[in-house]
Structures are given as structure tokens and as C-alpha cells.
Amino acid sequence: MNHEVFKDLVPNYLEHLTSDETRRLMEAHMESCPECREHLEDMKEEGMEHQVEQRTAERKQIDYLKAVRSNHKKRMILVIGSMLGVFVFVSVAYYILFVHMWMADQENVDTSIQKNQSTVTMTFQSKKDSRYLIAAKNELKESYTDEIVLYENWNLIPSPSWGPYGEISNMYKEGDSVTYTFADMDTLILDDGRKIKLTDDDKVTVRYDDRTKEIRLMDLYEGKKD
């Protein structure tokens, strides 16, 4: 077999692509040709080196992809953690500023009484611009409002219009009122039109954080709040 032909066939020989006949001829040629045997060994070594290089490159590529994936995962965790932190902070701030309420201190409440013919309106307003009041009206023992509980909330910044508490803060920024309608000093007209006779025991209780105040309805008719 010609040397050049042998060398051309070596790559196919190493990859087992030659026919059986060609393979036998090449092996027979190598028995008598040291040069071709050496050439075959060199080709084997080159092939092994190429495989090692290829595997090393593949490992580097895999390591790189793993590092990219790990960094991406860490960034995602950081972004999600940051978003959760912002959400919690905003939620807590929103609750403190717009939702959380507490019973008002009497010293912070300005109470006024306006009488218009048979109607008497008692208005409660915060003395502090940074707060607003809500008067919770209860009918505990009577068929009229006989208890008023005053609550305060912050009014530091305008509540977002999309939030339910924005409308509430705007509604009560001028104070909250309770109205009573009288037929005369001794007679109260209820919301359903019924009339009841008043006695000295008919009172409205105003509850603050630090104290409780009682006002007789007959005194309220005369515009008295003490």
C-alpha cells in the first residue's frame, strides 16, 4: 500500500469508517512499515489531545452557564426580596398613616354646638391640623344616639384617591357632627318621626381616651355642653 494512500485513510481508520478489507490491508502495511505505524500513533495522540481540549472547553462552557444561572438566580432573589421589603414598608406606612385610629384626647378636641330652630348640631374637630376626628355614634340604651366615641387619625399627607381612606379623611377634615331634633326642650324627635319626652336621665355620653363626659339632652337644647 502506498504511504500517501495510507495516511489519507488513517482518519477513517481511527473512526472505524473503513471497510474490513481496507482495514486488513492497512494493518498488514503497518507490520512492514515503521513510518506508517508511527504516523498512526501520532494521529491517535493528536486525537486524544483534541478530545481532552474539547472536553475542557465543554466543561468551561458548562461552568460558565452554571455561574450565569446562579448569578441570575441571586439577582432574582434580591429583586424579589427588595420588592417584598418595599411592599411591607408601604403597607405598614399606609396602615399607620391612613387606617390606624385611636381614641382622641379631650385636650385635642374642639367641641361646638350650633342651634338652628329645632335642630341642634354638636361638632367635634381636632385642634391639630395633622389629625382628623371621627365620631362613632352608638345607641346603647335608648333609641337615639346616647354614646359618642371620638377617634383620631393622622392627616399628615393626603390619602391616595384610589384608597378607601382618602375619601374618609377628606370627609372628616372639617370635623364630625351629631344632630338632634327637638320639638321643644322636653321633647326629642327620633329619626323615624316618633317623639319621646325627656327627663334629667336622658343624656349623651362622649368618650375620650382619658375621660368620659355626660351632657343632658335638655342642656344640649339650650346650647350648653358642660
Side-chain angles (χ1 to χ4, degrees):
M1 177 179 286
N2 184 281
H3 294 299
E4 297 303 324
V5 173
F6 179 89
K7 292 179 181 179
D8 290 339
L9 291 173
V10 166
N12 290 341
Y13 177 85
L14 293 175
E15 295 182 10
H16 304 285
L17 298 178
T18 59
S19 65
D20 293 341
E21 180 64 23
T22 301
R23 189 176 190 82
R24 283 194 296 270
L25 289 173
M26 293 180 68
E27 290 173 352
H29 176 76
M30 283 188 291
E31 290 179 359
S32 59
C33 182
E35 179 183 347
C36 288
R37 283 201 306 272
E38 184 176 352
H39 177 74
L40 180 64
E41 293 300 324
D42 291 341
M43 291 293 289
K44 285 181 179 181
E45 291 179 1
E46 290 179 4
M48 290 295 293
E49 291 176 359
H50 176 71
Q51 289 180 5
V52 171
E53 291 175 358
Q54 186 176 11
R55 289 175 183 173
T56 301
E58 289 175 353
R59 281 198 299 270
K60 289 182 179 180
Q61 182 68 15
I62 291 172
D63 292 341
Y64 171 76
L65 293 175
K66 286 182 178 179
V68 170
R69 184 178 299 176
S70 177
N71 291 335
H72 179 70
K73 185 176 181 180
K74 290 179 181 178
R75 284 196 295 270
M76 287 296 295
I77 293 174
L78 180 61
V79 170
I80 293 173
S82 300
M83 292 177 65
L84 287 175
V86 171
F87 175 78
V88 171
F89 174 80
V90 171
S91 298
V92 172
Y94 185 85
Y95 175 79
I96 293 174
L97 292 176
F98 305 121
V99 181
H100 175 62
M101 305 193 75
W102 61 93
M103 290 184 67
D105 190 322
Q106 186 180 17
E107 300 298 325
N108 298 334
V109 179
D110 184 17
T111 305
S112 61
I113 296 177
Q114 298 86 30
K115 184 175 181 182
N116 183 11
Q117 296 181 353
S118 62
T119 300
V120 177
T121 300
M122 187 161 44
T123 302
F124 306 94
Q125 188 170 8
S126 177
K127 294 180 180 179
K128 298 185 176 182
D129 294 335
S130 60
R131 302 177 185 180
Y132 68 89
L133 291 177
I134 291 181
K137 309 166 186 68
N138 302 314
E139 297 178 3
L140 298 182
K141 300 178 181 178
E142 307 294 341
S143 51
Y144 56 84
T145 298
D146 59 354
E147 181 188 63
I148 301 171
V149 184
L150 297 178
Y151 292 97
E152 275 185 301
N153 197 354
W154 294 110
N155 193 29
L156 298 176
I157 57 176
S159 180
S161 59
W162 45 262
Y165 301 97
E167 183 177 350
I168 293 176
S169 62
N170 291 332
M171 184 186 306
Y172 294 106
K173 65 182 180 181
E174 301 298 332
D176 198 3
S177 302
V178 181
T179 300
Y180 296 90
T181 303
F182 295 84
D184 52 50
M185 186 178 69
D186 299 330
T187 307
L188 181 69
I189 303 175
L190 303 179
D191 292 339
D192 59 7
R194 290 185 296 118
K195 298 179 181 180
I196 60 172
K197 283 295 182 179
L198 298 176
T199 68
D200 288 340
D201 293 330
D202 288 304
K203 303 174 183 178
V204 55
T205 301
V206 182
R207 298 192 182 279
Y208 303 89
D209 176 49
D210 53 343
R211 68 191 67 181
T212 297
K213 183 177 181 180
E214 291 185 342
I215 305 173
R216 292 194 320 147
L217 288 181
M218 288 189 290
D219 290 338
L220 191 62
Y221 176 81
E222 295 179 345
K224 299 177 181 179
K225 58 183 178 180
D226 296 322

